[in-house]
Amino acid sequence: MSLFKKLFGSGNDASDEKKEKEASPFNPETKIPVDEMFTFNFKKNGGKFLYCENLEEINEQFLNILEENDWFECEAVCYESKLFHLLDENKLIYKNTSNPKFLLASCENLIADEGSVLLTSNQIKQKKPHELPANIVVFATTSQILESKSDGLREIKKRYEKDYPTNITTIKYFEKAKEEDFLHYGSAAKNLYLLLLEDL
């Protein structure tokens, strides 16, 4: 409890005592599930979250994103052949593009404690975040949600024993910060949509 509240009191003493008890070292913290933690932090960072139960809903939500942004008949960037069908079905140009409106990509993992998206050269080649389009649509599954960045790096190491990917990066800021501080220095804010497929 703050010194001012102790000296002058507050009209809400009961709730202050409750908060103090909750923060007590004798009262164990209740741990938030990683999927809830990710959702909260991702939205706090400005990301747009679209939960899908099946592939049909993925296609439907992708179409909604195209409509919302008027991205029909435009250029896109995609480096993963497993996602080309989404672009082909909607007649989007993604080969030899000069002015792409958005990047369509999968990801390595979703990092819950930061609300960030972990990408490697498998999704973005050797491009730095600031070299990518301002708009990104990421396709991921609920099984890809991990608690921390170190968990994500361990998972990459386990998944790729031989062809270890390069250019490992996270994208964390999904809207321009109102006040730039040293935490935002050098980061490129992206307008990011996450199509999250339930697979657990």
Side-chain angles (χ1 to χ4, degrees):
M1 193 184 286
S2 80
L3 178 63
F4 289 108
K5 283 184 183 173
K6 280 184 181 176
L7 290 174
F8 302 110
S10 85
N12 207 359
D13 289 335
S15 71
D16 289 340
E17 281 179 34
K18 188 180 174 192
K19 282 180 190 167
E20 219 168 82
K21 279 181 189 170
E22 286 173 2
S24 164
F26 305 108
N27 197 12
E29 259 185 58
T30 53
K31 197 163 183 183
I32 304 170
V34 288
D35 55 345
E36 283 181 38
M37 187 195 310
F38 173 76
T39 305
F40 176 78
N41 289 329
F42 180 77
K43 285 182 174 180
K44 189 176 79 174
N45 292 343
K48 295 171 186 81
F49 182 91
L50 300 158
Y51 176 81
C52 304
E53 290 185 356
N54 53 49
L55 290 171
E56 194 176 297
E57 283 185 27
I58 291 283
N59 293 334
E60 194 178 304
Q61 293 293 2
F62 184 64
L63 195 62
N64 290 341
I65 293 168
L66 296 178
E67 273 181 43
E68 180 185 320
N69 294 285
D70 194 23
W71 288 342
F72 290 107
E73 298 175 22
C74 75
E75 294 182 347
V77 176
C78 183
Y79 300 110
E80 301 166 85
S81 57
K82 66 182 179 184
L83 298 175
F84 288 168
H85 69 95
L86 282 168
L87 299 168
D88 289 332
E89 285 169 17
N90 294 289
K91 297 178 175 64
L92 296 165
I93 302 156
Y94 56 92
K95 291 177 184 165
N96 304 319
T97 58
S98 57
N99 189 22
K101 291 278 187 209
F102 69 95
L103 165 74
L104 175 64
S106 66
C107 67
E108 295 296 338
N109 289 105
L110 302 170
I111 309 302
D113 66 356
E114 291 185 337
S116 63
V117 179
L118 183 63
L119 302 167
T120 67
S121 53
N122 292 330
Q123 292 85 36
I124 59 173
K125 299 295 183 196
Q126 297 307 318
K127 302 257 189 244
K128 301 282 178 267
H130 69 273
E131 297 173 315
L132 299 171
N135 304 296
I136 300 176
V137 180
V138 172
F139 170 72
T141 59
T142 51
S143 62
Q144 289 179 283
I145 300 174
L146 297 175
E147 189 168 351
S148 68
K149 202 182 288 183
S150 57
D151 294 333
L153 295 173
R154 263 194 300 278
E155 188 64 32
I156 288 172
K157 200 171 184 180
K158 198 164 58 175
R159 194 180 304 145
Y160 304 102
E161 287 178 14
K162 291 182 181 160
D163 292 330
Y164 197 75
T166 56
N167 193 23
I168 300 169
T169 189
T170 57
I171 296 180
K172 181 177 175 181
Y173 301 106
F174 311 119
E175 60 187 4
K176 194 83 175 129
K178 290 165 188 75
E179 287 182 34
E180 293 280 328
D181 61 11
F182 76 96
L183 293 172
H184 292 86
Y185 182 76
S187 66
K190 300 294 180 185
N191 176 32
L192 194 137
Y193 292 87
L194 175 62
L195 296 169
L196 188 65
L197 177 66
E198 173 63 66
D199 71 338
L200 291 173

